Amino acid sequence: MSASDQPDVGAAHHYLTGLQASIVADLEKAGGASFATDTWVRPQGGGGISRFIEGGELFERAGVLFSHVQGDTLPPSASAHRPQVAGRRWEAMGVSMVLHPRNPFVPTTHMNVRMFVAYGSDDQDDIFWFGGGMDLTPYYVFEQDARHFHQTCKDALDGHDPNLYPAYKRWCDEYFYLKHRQETRGIGGVFFDDLSEPGFSESFAITQSVGNAFVHAYLPIVARRRDLAFSELHKDFQRYRRGRYV
């Protein structure tokens, strides 16, 4: 592995903590309420920062979570599709989030971006990969919102490779298809995993583009729908739909 392809854990950590902070700041501005903060430590190594809100005017429940954990030995069960990394020292970090709005006309959304590193020894190379994505789960579908969300995802990826969006959209559609219910979780978005082939710098850049696009994909939809009047029947349907995906 060339020096330019070596995983830069410090740069990833700096980006991810900054992403969490910037998303929370944008959500606080939109919702007019502050997120609580909880830090935690993993005894085996690492820890994280949880930012969350419950009972807000805009979000009934929302969490934007950062974690960075390490371990001395990666168990075989965690490396079934990568047997060459079993037993290695490892670390993983990422930002993940779920937002549940109060107004049924505002969609629920999910987003995460993450990096994993398995360290080599002696003549072994370090092995890294990125993953992540975002998707939208409306209770009431507005075509304008669906087009905006997908176009923002496409714009974020096209600057790297115009083949990425269709591939990652298809991956998302397949990954979040609920086979036992024979239905999709929502209107999809983008999803990717095991991203390392372009090298560290480009893989990291693609992941950053996805993370940075989130607020541009979601908050304009919130602005359009948050003040729409709704009834208890709309809330009942929202609760029913949420229950489909628990």
mmCIF file of all heavy atoms in Angstrom, residues 43-94:
data_model
loop_
_atom_site.group_PDB
_atom_site.id
_atom_site.type_symbol
_atom_site.label_atom_id
_atom_site.label_comp_id
_atom_site.label_asym_id
_atom_site.label_seq_id
_atom_site.Cartn_x
_atom_site.Cartn_y
_atom_site.Cartn_z
ATOM 1 N N PRO A 43 -15.287 0.104 27.769
ATOM 2 C CA PRO A 43 -14.185 -0.444 28.568
ATOM 3 C C PRO A 43 -13.102 -1.119 27.737
ATOM 4 O O PRO A 43 -11.915 -1.067 28.073
ATOM 5 C CB PRO A 43 -14.892 -1.451 29.494
ATOM 6 C CG PRO A 43 -16.292 -0.950 29.596
ATOM 7 C CD PRO A 43 -16.603 -0.353 28.250
ATOM 8 N N GLN A 44 -13.489 -1.729 26.623
ATOM 9 C CA GLN A 44 -12.514 -2.425 25.785
ATOM 10 C C GLN A 44 -11.710 -1.482 24.899
ATOM 11 O O GLN A 44 -10.753 -1.898 24.245
ATOM 12 C CB GLN A 44 -13.222 -3.469 24.911
ATOM 13 C CG GLN A 44 -13.968 -4.528 25.692
ATOM 14 C CD GLN A 44 -15.408 -4.123 25.991
ATOM 15 O OE1 GLN A 44 -15.756 -2.941 25.947
ATOM 16 N NE2 GLN A 44 -16.249 -5.100 26.301
ATOM 17 N N GLY A 45 -12.111 -0.202 24.860
ATOM 18 C CA GLY A 45 -11.390 0.781 24.064
ATOM 19 C C GLY A 45 -12.302 1.693 23.279
ATOM 20 O O GLY A 45 -13.167 1.225 22.543
ATOM 21 N N GLY A 46 -12.101 2.990 23.453
ATOM 22 C CA GLY A 46 -12.872 3.954 22.684
ATOM 23 C C GLY A 46 -14.073 4.494 23.433
ATOM 24 O O GLY A 46 -14.198 4.356 24.648
ATOM 25 N N GLY A 47 -14.957 5.106 22.686
ATOM 26 C CA GLY A 47 -16.153 5.703 23.272
ATOM 27 C C GLY A 47 -16.906 6.500 22.235
ATOM 28 O O GLY A 47 -16.760 6.276 21.028
ATOM 29 N N GLY A 48 -17.703 7.445 22.705
ATOM 30 C CA GLY A 48 -18.495 8.200 21.752
ATOM 31 C C GLY A 48 -19.214 9.368 22.377
ATOM 32 O O GLY A 48 -19.135 9.610 23.586
ATOM 33 N N ILE A 49 -19.914 10.094 21.541
ATOM 34 C CA ILE A 49 -20.709 11.255 21.934
ATOM 35 C C ILE A 49 -22.098 11.074 21.338
ATOM 36 O O ILE A 49 -22.240 10.928 20.116
ATOM 37 C CB ILE A 49 -20.103 12.562 21.409
ATOM 38 C CG1 ILE A 49 -18.634 12.697 21.826
ATOM 39 C CG2 ILE A 49 -20.920 13.762 21.896
ATOM 40 C CD1 ILE A 49 -17.904 13.819 21.100
ATOM 41 N N SER A 50 -23.111 11.074 22.196
ATOM 42 C CA SER A 50 -24.493 10.975 21.742
ATOM 43 C C SER A 50 -25.158 12.331 21.881
ATOM 44 O O SER A 50 -25.125 12.940 22.953
ATOM 45 C CB SER A 50 -25.258 9.938 22.570
ATOM 46 O OG SER A 50 -24.675 8.662 22.466
ATOM 47 N N ARG A 51 -25.731 12.827 20.792
ATOM 48 C CA ARG A 51 -26.505 14.066 20.809
ATOM 49 C C ARG A 51 -27.944 13.686 20.497
ATOM 50 O O ARG A 51 -28.209 13.002 19.504
ATOM 51 C CB ARG A 51 -25.977 15.058 19.768
ATOM 52 C CG ARG A 51 -24.501 15.409 19.908
ATOM 53 C CD ARG A 51 -24.188 16.174 21.192
ATOM 54 N NE ARG A 51 -25.047 17.326 21.416
ATOM 55 C CZ ARG A 51 -24.822 18.532 20.891
ATOM 56 N NH1 ARG A 51 -23.788 18.737 20.097
ATOM 57 N NH2 ARG A 51 -25.641 19.541 21.164
ATOM 58 N N PHE A 52 -28.891 14.121 21.334
ATOM 59 C CA PHE A 52 -30.260 13.639 21.169
ATOM 60 C C PHE A 52 -31.252 14.651 21.698
ATOM 61 O O PHE A 52 -30.911 15.542 22.494
ATOM 62 C CB PHE A 52 -30.437 12.298 21.886
ATOM 63 C CG PHE A 52 -30.112 12.342 23.355
ATOM 64 C CD1 PHE A 52 -31.099 12.604 24.301
ATOM 65 C CD2 PHE A 52 -28.812 12.145 23.799
ATOM 66 C CE1 PHE A 52 -30.808 12.658 25.642
ATOM 67 C CE2 PHE A 52 -28.501 12.194 25.146
ATOM 68 C CZ PHE A 52 -29.501 12.464 26.072
ATOM 69 N N ILE A 53 -32.479 14.485 21.272
ATOM 70 C CA ILE A 53 -33.583 15.324 21.735
ATOM 71 C C ILE A 53 -34.839 14.470 21.771
ATOM 72 O O ILE A 53 -35.034 13.583 20.926
ATOM 73 C CB ILE A 53 -33.766 16.556 20.815
ATOM 74 C CG1 ILE A 53 -34.726 17.561 21.422
ATOM 75 C CG2 ILE A 53 -34.220 16.148 19.416
ATOM 76 C CD1 ILE A 53 -34.752 18.899 20.701
ATOM 77 N N GLU A 54 -35.683 14.709 22.759
ATOM 78 C CA GLU A 54 -36.982 14.051 22.865
ATOM 79 C C GLU A 54 -38.026 15.091 23.217
ATOM 80 O O GLU A 54 -37.767 16.011 24.003
ATOM 81 C CB GLU A 54 -36.947 12.949 23.928
ATOM 82 C CG GLU A 54 -36.076 11.762 23.554
ATOM 83 C CD GLU A 54 -36.503 10.488 24.259
ATOM 84 O OE1 GLU A 54 -37.715 10.325 24.504
ATOM 85 O OE2 GLU A 54 -35.622 9.674 24.541
ATOM 86 N N GLY A 55 -39.204 14.934 22.613
ATOM 87 C CA GLY A 55 -40.298 15.831 22.927
ATOM 88 C C GLY A 55 -40.145 17.230 22.392
ATOM 89 O O GLY A 55 -40.719 18.183 22.944
ATOM 90 N N GLY A 56 -39.373 17.392 21.310
ATOM 91 C CA GLY A 56 -39.210 18.717 20.727
ATOM 92 C C GLY A 56 -40.397 19.120 19.876
ATOM 93 O O GLY A 56 -41.239 18.293 19.514
ATOM 94 N N GLU A 57 -40.461 20.391 19.559
ATOM 95 C CA GLU A 57 -41.557 20.881 18.729
ATOM 96 C C GLU A 57 -41.456 20.352 17.313
ATOM 97 O O GLU A 57 -42.462 20.007 16.684
ATOM 98 C CB GLU A 57 -41.548 22.407 18.714
ATOM 99 C CG GLU A 57 -42.683 23.016 17.902
ATOM 100 C CD GLU A 57 -42.654 24.533 17.906
ATOM 101 O OE1 GLU A 57 -41.938 25.110 18.746
ATOM 102 O OE2 GLU A 57 -43.343 25.137 17.055
ATOM 103 N N LEU A 58 -40.251 20.262 16.793
ATOM 104 C CA LEU A 58 -40.050 19.761 15.432
ATOM 105 C C LEU A 58 -39.831 18.250 15.416
ATOM 106 O O LEU A 58 -40.429 17.537 14.611
ATOM 107 C CB LEU A 58 -38.856 20.461 14.783
ATOM 108 C CG LEU A 58 -38.499 20.021 13.364
ATOM 109 C CD1 LEU A 58 -39.674 20.219 12.406
ATOM 110 C CD2 LEU A 58 -37.273 20.788 12.867
ATOM 111 N N PHE A 59 -38.964 17.769 16.320
ATOM 112 C CA PHE A 59 -38.655 16.332 16.361
ATOM 113 C C PHE A 59 -39.166 15.720 17.662
ATOM 114 O O PHE A 59 -38.809 16.176 18.756
ATOM 115 C CB PHE A 59 -37.149 16.111 16.245
ATOM 116 C CG PHE A 59 -36.567 16.571 14.944
ATOM 117 C CD1 PHE A 59 -35.751 17.688 14.894
ATOM 118 C CD2 PHE A 59 -36.858 15.900 13.764
ATOM 119 C CE1 PHE A 59 -35.222 18.122 13.688
ATOM 120 C CE2 PHE A 59 -36.344 16.329 12.554
ATOM 121 C CZ PHE A 59 -35.515 17.446 12.511
ATOM 122 N N GLU A 60 -39.990 14.697 17.522
ATOM 123 C CA GLU A 60 -40.426 13.958 18.705
ATOM 124 C C GLU A 60 -39.250 13.218 19.337
ATOM 125 O O GLU A 60 -39.132 13.144 20.555
ATOM 126 C CB GLU A 60 -41.530 12.961 18.325
ATOM 127 C CG GLU A 60 -42.849 13.613 18.018
ATOM 128 C CD GLU A 60 -43.943 12.602 17.741
ATOM 129 O OE1 GLU A 60 -43.655 11.554 17.133
ATOM 130 O OE2 GLU A 60 -45.085 12.864 18.149
ATOM 131 N N ARG A 61 -38.416 12.685 18.492
ATOM 132 C CA ARG A 61 -37.213 11.997 18.968
ATOM 133 C C ARG A 61 -36.183 12.038 17.850
ATOM 134 O O ARG A 61 -36.492 11.765 16.690
ATOM 135 C CB ARG A 61 -37.522 10.552 19.355
ATOM 136 C CG ARG A 61 -36.308 9.730 19.718
ATOM 137 C CD ARG A 61 -36.690 8.357 20.223
ATOM 138 N NE ARG A 61 -37.325 8.438 21.522
ATOM 139 C CZ ARG A 61 -37.732 7.366 22.220
ATOM 140 N NH1 ARG A 61 -37.568 6.162 21.713
ATOM 141 N NH2 ARG A 61 -38.294 7.518 23.401
ATOM 142 N N ALA A 62 -34.954 12.380 18.204
ATOM 143 C CA ALA A 62 -33.884 12.449 17.208
ATOM 144 C C ALA A 62 -32.560 12.165 17.900
ATOM 145 O O ALA A 62 -32.347 12.562 19.044
ATOM 146 C CB ALA A 62 -33.850 13.821 16.542
ATOM 147 N N GLY A 63 -31.685 11.465 17.203
ATOM 148 C CA GLY A 63 -30.364 11.186 17.724
ATOM 149 C C GLY A 63 -29.320 11.305 16.637
ATOM 150 O O GLY A 63 -29.537 10.830 15.513
ATOM 151 N N VAL A 64 -28.210 11.972 16.956
ATOM 152 C CA VAL A 64 -27.070 12.094 16.048
ATOM 153 C C VAL A 64 -25.865 11.593 16.842
ATOM 154 O O VAL A 64 -25.413 12.266 17.770
ATOM 155 C CB VAL A 64 -26.860 13.540 15.573
ATOM 156 C CG1 VAL A 64 -25.746 13.590 14.523
ATOM 157 C CG2 VAL A 64 -28.157 14.121 14.995
ATOM 158 N N LEU A 65 -25.363 10.445 16.509
ATOM 159 C CA LEU A 65 -24.423 9.722 17.359
ATOM 160 C C LEU A 65 -23.054 9.593 16.697
ATOM 161 O O LEU A 65 -22.961 9.272 15.507
ATOM 162 C CB LEU A 65 -24.960 8.320 17.660
ATOM 163 C CG LEU A 65 -26.437 8.237 18.055
ATOM 164 C CD1 LEU A 65 -26.850 6.784 18.230
ATOM 165 C CD2 LEU A 65 -26.724 9.042 19.314
ATOM 166 N N PHE A 66 -22.014 9.814 17.478
ATOM 167 C CA PHE A 66 -20.646 9.571 17.034
ATOM 168 C C PHE A 66 -20.034 8.500 17.915
ATOM 169 O O PHE A 66 -20.177 8.525 19.138
ATOM 170 C CB PHE A 66 -19.792 10.831 17.115
ATOM 171 C CG PHE A 66 -18.312 10.556 16.954
ATOM 172 C CD1 PHE A 66 -17.778 10.287 15.703
ATOM 173 C CD2 PHE A 66 -17.472 10.506 18.066
ATOM 174 C CE1 PHE A 66 -16.420 9.993 15.561
ATOM 175 C CE2 PHE A 66 -16.119 10.223 17.933
ATOM 176 C CZ PHE A 66 -15.592 9.967 16.670
ATOM 177 N N SER A 67 -19.341 7.544 17.286
ATOM 178 C CA SER A 67 -18.621 6.529 18.049
ATOM 179 C C SER A 67 -17.263 6.287 17.411
ATOM 180 O O SER A 67 -17.095 6.407 16.195
ATOM 181 C CB SER A 67 -19.414 5.220 18.108
ATOM 182 O OG SER A 67 -19.583 4.669 16.814
ATOM 183 N N HIS A 68 -16.292 5.971 18.269
ATOM 184 C CA HIS A 68 -14.940 5.616 17.825
ATOM 185 C C HIS A 68 -14.435 4.569 18.797
ATOM 186 O O HIS A 68 -14.110 4.878 19.943
ATOM 187 C CB HIS A 68 -14.042 6.849 17.822
ATOM 188 C CG HIS A 68 -12.669 6.574 17.297
ATOM 189 N ND1 HIS A 68 -11.674 7.536 17.254
ATOM 190 C CD2 HIS A 68 -12.099 5.438 16.794
ATOM 191 C CE1 HIS A 68 -10.565 7.013 16.750
ATOM 192 N NE2 HIS A 68 -10.803 5.739 16.471
ATOM 193 N N VAL A 69 -14.399 3.340 18.348
ATOM 194 C CA VAL A 69 -14.059 2.226 19.231
ATOM 195 C C VAL A 69 -12.895 1.441 18.648
ATOM 196 O O VAL A 69 -12.668 1.437 17.434
ATOM 197 C CB VAL A 69 -15.270 1.300 19.463
ATOM 198 C CG1 VAL A 69 -16.387 2.064 20.177
ATOM 199 C CG2 VAL A 69 -15.799 0.734 18.149
ATOM 200 N N GLN A 70 -12.141 0.795 19.550
ATOM 201 C CA GLN A 70 -10.969 0.018 19.150
ATOM 202 C C GLN A 70 -10.971 -1.332 19.857
ATOM 203 O O GLN A 70 -11.642 -1.521 20.882
ATOM 204 C CB GLN A 70 -9.672 0.759 19.512
ATOM 205 C CG GLN A 70 -9.553 2.161 18.966
ATOM 206 C CD GLN A 70 -9.965 3.207 19.962
ATOM 207 O OE1 GLN A 70 -9.974 2.969 21.150
ATOM 208 N NE2 GLN A 70 -10.309 4.399 19.481
ATOM 209 N N GLY A 71 -10.190 -2.244 19.302
ATOM 210 C CA GLY A 71 -10.012 -3.543 19.932
ATOM 211 C C GLY A 71 -8.683 -4.153 19.525
ATOM 212 O O GLY A 71 -8.115 -3.801 18.489
ATOM 213 N N ASP A 72 -8.196 -5.056 20.340
ATOM 214 C CA ASP A 72 -6.905 -5.701 20.073
ATOM 215 C C ASP A 72 -7.003 -6.864 19.101
ATOM 216 O O ASP A 72 -6.061 -7.161 18.372
ATOM 217 C CB ASP A 72 -6.275 -6.195 21.383
ATOM 218 C CG ASP A 72 -5.853 -5.043 22.280
ATOM 219 O OD1 ASP A 72 -5.512 -3.975 21.735
ATOM 220 O OD2 ASP A 72 -5.888 -5.208 23.512
ATOM 221 N N THR A 73 -8.144 -7.539 19.109
ATOM 222 C CA THR A 73 -8.282 -8.729 18.269
ATOM 223 C C THR A 73 -9.662 -8.774 17.655
ATOM 224 O O THR A 73 -10.660 -8.849 18.377
ATOM 225 C CB THR A 73 -8.064 -10.014 19.099
ATOM 226 O OG1 THR A 73 -6.786 -9.950 19.737
ATOM 227 C CG2 THR A 73 -8.111 -11.237 18.190
ATOM 228 N N LEU A 74 -9.723 -8.719 16.344
ATOM 229 C CA LEU A 74 -11.006 -8.797 15.652
ATOM 230 C C LEU A 74 -11.448 -10.256 15.587
ATOM 231 O O LEU A 74 -10.730 -11.099 15.040
ATOM 232 C CB LEU A 74 -10.869 -8.235 14.234
ATOM 233 C CG LEU A 74 -12.160 -8.060 13.436
ATOM 234 C CD1 LEU A 74 -13.015 -6.955 14.046
ATOM 235 C CD2 LEU A 74 -11.843 -7.733 11.986
ATOM 236 N N PRO A 75 -12.604 -10.596 16.142
ATOM 237 C CA PRO A 75 -13.048 -11.991 16.137
ATOM 238 C C PRO A 75 -13.479 -12.447 14.752
ATOM 239 O O PRO A 75 -13.923 -11.643 13.930
ATOM 240 C CB PRO A 75 -14.228 -11.993 17.102
ATOM 241 C CG PRO A 75 -14.749 -10.594 17.053
ATOM 242 C CD PRO A 75 -13.540 -9.710 16.844
ATOM 243 N N PRO A 76 -13.354 -13.754 14.475
ATOM 244 C CA PRO A 76 -13.760 -14.270 13.166
ATOM 245 C C PRO A 76 -15.207 -13.941 12.817
ATOM 246 O O PRO A 76 -15.538 -13.723 11.652
ATOM 247 C CB PRO A 76 -13.545 -15.780 13.301
ATOM 248 C CG PRO A 76 -12.499 -15.919 14.367
ATOM 249 C CD PRO A 76 -12.762 -14.795 15.320
ATOM 250 N N SER A 77 -16.082 -13.883 13.824
ATOM 251 C CA SER A 77 -17.492 -13.607 13.553
ATOM 252 C C SER A 77 -17.694 -12.216 12.962
ATOM 253 O O SER A 77 -18.698 -11.961 12.299
ATOM 254 C CB SER A 77 -18.308 -13.746 14.835
ATOM 255 O OG SER A 77 -17.845 -12.836 15.822
ATOM 256 N N ALA A 78 -16.749 -11.304 13.223
ATOM 257 C CA ALA A 78 -16.859 -9.947 12.702
ATOM 258 C C ALA A 78 -16.152 -9.781 11.374
ATOM 259 O O ALA A 78 -16.104 -8.685 10.831
ATOM 260 C CB ALA A 78 -16.292 -8.965 13.722
ATOM 261 N N SER A 79 -15.587 -10.859 10.862
ATOM 262 C CA SER A 79 -14.829 -10.771 9.611
ATOM 263 C C SER A 79 -15.135 -11.940 8.688
ATOM 264 O O SER A 79 -14.258 -12.428 7.986
ATOM 265 C CB SER A 79 -13.329 -10.722 9.919
ATOM 266 O OG SER A 79 -12.944 -11.844 10.689
ATOM 267 N N ALA A 80 -16.383 -12.379 8.703
ATOM 268 C CA ALA A 80 -16.741 -13.566 7.940
ATOM 269 C C ALA A 80 -16.450 -13.411 6.455
ATOM 270 O O ALA A 80 -16.020 -14.360 5.789
ATOM 271 C CB ALA A 80 -18.217 -13.883 8.159
ATOM 272 N N HIS A 81 -16.686 -12.204 5.910
ATOM 273 C CA HIS A 81 -16.451 -11.993 4.476
ATOM 274 C C HIS A 81 -15.063 -11.444 4.200
ATOM 275 O O HIS A 81 -14.715 -11.190 3.055
ATOM 276 C CB HIS A 81 -17.525 -11.076 3.884
ATOM 277 C CG HIS A 81 -17.429 -9.661 4.328
ATOM 278 N ND1 HIS A 81 -17.561 -9.280 5.645
ATOM 279 C CD2 HIS A 81 -17.225 -8.510 3.624
ATOM 280 C CE1 HIS A 81 -17.436 -7.975 5.727
ATOM 281 N NE2 HIS A 81 -17.223 -7.478 4.526
ATOM 282 N N ARG A 82 -14.266 -11.246 5.254
ATOM 283 C CA ARG A 82 -12.874 -10.819 5.116
ATOM 284 C C ARG A 82 -12.010 -11.650 6.054
ATOM 285 O O ARG A 82 -11.476 -11.145 7.043
ATOM 286 C CB ARG A 82 -12.732 -9.329 5.464
ATOM 287 C CG ARG A 82 -13.347 -8.372 4.462
ATOM 288 C CD ARG A 82 -13.145 -6.943 4.946
ATOM 289 N NE ARG A 82 -13.738 -5.968 4.057
ATOM 290 C CZ ARG A 82 -13.102 -5.338 3.071
ATOM 291 N NH1 ARG A 82 -11.831 -5.618 2.853
ATOM 292 N NH2 ARG A 82 -13.713 -4.453 2.303
ATOM 293 N N PRO A 83 -11.851 -12.930 5.788
ATOM 294 C CA PRO A 83 -11.109 -13.796 6.716
ATOM 295 C C PRO A 83 -9.669 -13.360 6.941
ATOM 296 O O PRO A 83 -9.073 -13.688 7.968
ATOM 297 C CB PRO A 83 -11.180 -15.171 6.048
ATOM 298 C CG PRO A 83 -11.513 -14.901 4.614
ATOM 299 C CD PRO A 83 -12.345 -13.673 4.614
ATOM 300 N N GLN A 84 -9.102 -12.594 6.017
ATOM 301 C CA GLN A 84 -7.713 -12.169 6.164
ATOM 302 C C GLN A 84 -7.516 -11.163 7.287
ATOM 303 O O GLN A 84 -6.379 -10.919 7.712
ATOM 304 C CB GLN A 84 -7.184 -11.589 4.845
ATOM 305 C CG GLN A 84 -7.723 -10.218 4.478
ATOM 306 C CD GLN A 84 -9.026 -10.273 3.708
ATOM 307 O OE1 GLN A 84 -9.808 -11.214 3.857
ATOM 308 N NE2 GLN A 84 -9.270 -9.268 2.875
ATOM 309 N N VAL A 85 -8.604 -10.565 7.811
ATOM 310 C CA VAL A 85 -8.448 -9.579 8.877
ATOM 311 C C VAL A 85 -8.747 -10.150 10.259
ATOM 312 O O VAL A 85 -8.601 -9.454 11.262
ATOM 313 C CB VAL A 85 -9.325 -8.328 8.636
ATOM 314 C CG1 VAL A 85 -9.034 -7.721 7.278
ATOM 315 C CG2 VAL A 85 -10.803 -8.654 8.781
ATOM 316 N N ALA A 86 -9.162 -11.407 10.322
ATOM 317 C CA ALA A 86 -9.475 -12.021 11.614
ATOM 318 C C ALA A 86 -8.256 -11.978 12.533
ATOM 319 O O ALA A 86 -7.136 -12.255 12.119
ATOM 320 C CB ALA A 86 -9.931 -13.458 11.418
ATOM 321 N N GLY A 87 -8.492 -11.584 13.766
ATOM 322 C CA GLY A 87 -7.435 -11.553 14.755
ATOM 323 C C GLY A 87 -6.609 -10.284 14.775
ATOM 324 O O GLY A 87 -5.741 -10.115 15.634
ATOM 325 N N ARG A 88 -6.841 -9.364 13.861
ATOM 326 C CA ARG A 88 -6.041 -8.140 13.813
ATOM 327 C C ARG A 88 -6.542 -7.094 14.812
ATOM 328 O O ARG A 88 -7.698 -7.099 15.224
ATOM 329 C CB ARG A 88 -6.087 -7.520 12.418
ATOM 330 C CG ARG A 88 -5.412 -8.327 11.325
ATOM 331 C CD ARG A 88 -5.308 -7.476 10.075
ATOM 332 N NE ARG A 88 -4.709 -8.190 8.953
ATOM 333 C CZ ARG A 88 -4.287 -7.594 7.852
ATOM 334 N NH1 ARG A 88 -4.407 -6.284 7.721
ATOM 335 N NH2 ARG A 88 -3.753 -8.302 6.866
ATOM 336 N N ARG A 89 -5.641 -6.183 15.160
ATOM 337 C CA ARG A 89 -6.034 -4.996 15.909
ATOM 338 C C ARG A 89 -6.876 -4.122 14.977
ATOM 339 O O ARG A 89 -6.588 -4.011 13.786
ATOM 340 C CB ARG A 89 -4.783 -4.246 16.368
ATOM 341 C CG ARG A 89 -5.060 -3.004 17.206
ATOM 342 C CD ARG A 89 -3.762 -2.465 17.800
ATOM 343 N NE ARG A 89 -2.837 -2.039 16.768
ATOM 344 C CZ ARG A 89 -2.823 -0.803 16.243
ATOM 345 N NH1 ARG A 89 -3.695 0.101 16.651
ATOM 346 N NH2 ARG A 89 -1.928 -0.484 15.313
ATOM 347 N N TRP A 90 -7.892 -3.485 15.517
ATOM 348 C CA TRP A 90 -8.843 -2.794 14.667
ATOM 349 C C TRP A 90 -9.393 -1.543 15.364
ATOM 350 O O TRP A 90 -9.302 -1.391 16.580
ATOM 351 C CB TRP A 90 -10.030 -3.696 14.316
ATOM 352 C CG TRP A 90 -10.783 -4.152 15.536
ATOM 353 C CD1 TRP A 90 -10.506 -5.228 16.322
ATOM 354 C CD2 TRP A 90 -11.911 -3.501 16.135
ATOM 355 N NE1 TRP A 90 -11.393 -5.299 17.372
ATOM 356 C CE2 TRP A 90 -12.266 -4.250 17.281
ATOM 357 C CE3 TRP A 90 -12.649 -2.364 15.815
ATOM 358 C CZ2 TRP A 90 -13.337 -3.901 18.101
ATOM 359 C CZ3 TRP A 90 -13.729 -2.007 16.642
ATOM 360 C CH2 TRP A 90 -14.048 -2.785 17.768
ATOM 361 N N GLU A 91 -9.975 -0.661 14.566
ATOM 362 C CA GLU A 91 -10.778 0.429 15.092
ATOM 363 C C GLU A 91 -11.835 0.823 14.075
ATOM 364 O O GLU A 91 -11.663 0.635 12.869
ATOM 365 C CB GLU A 91 -9.946 1.622 15.531
ATOM 366 C CG GLU A 91 -9.058 2.273 14.534
ATOM 367 C CD GLU A 91 -8.206 3.370 15.206
ATOM 368 O OE1 GLU A 91 -8.785 4.258 15.861
ATOM 369 O OE2 GLU A 91 -6.971 3.298 15.083
ATOM 370 N N ALA A 92 -12.929 1.342 14.607
ATOM 371 C CA ALA A 92 -14.061 1.730 13.765
ATOM 372 C C ALA A 92 -14.640 3.029 14.299
ATOM 373 O O ALA A 92 -14.648 3.271 15.513
ATOM 374 C CB ALA A 92 -15.127 0.643 13.765
ATOM 375 N N MET A 93 -15.092 3.865 13.392
ATOM 376 C CA MET A 93 -15.694 5.134 13.810
ATOM 377 C C MET A 93 -16.772 5.517 12.819
ATOM 378 O O MET A 93 -16.756 5.091 11.651
ATOM 379 C CB MET A 93 -14.630 6.227 13.903
ATOM 380 C CG MET A 93 -14.018 6.623 12.577
ATOM 381 S SD MET A 93 -12.702 7.852 12.760
ATOM 382 C CE MET A 93 -11.375 6.802 13.333
ATOM 383 N N GLY A 94 -17.710 6.310 13.296
ATOM 384 C CA GLY A 94 -18.765 6.737 12.392
ATOM 385 C C GLY A 94 -19.754 7.675 13.054
ATOM 386 O O GLY A 94 -19.762 7.844 14.283
#
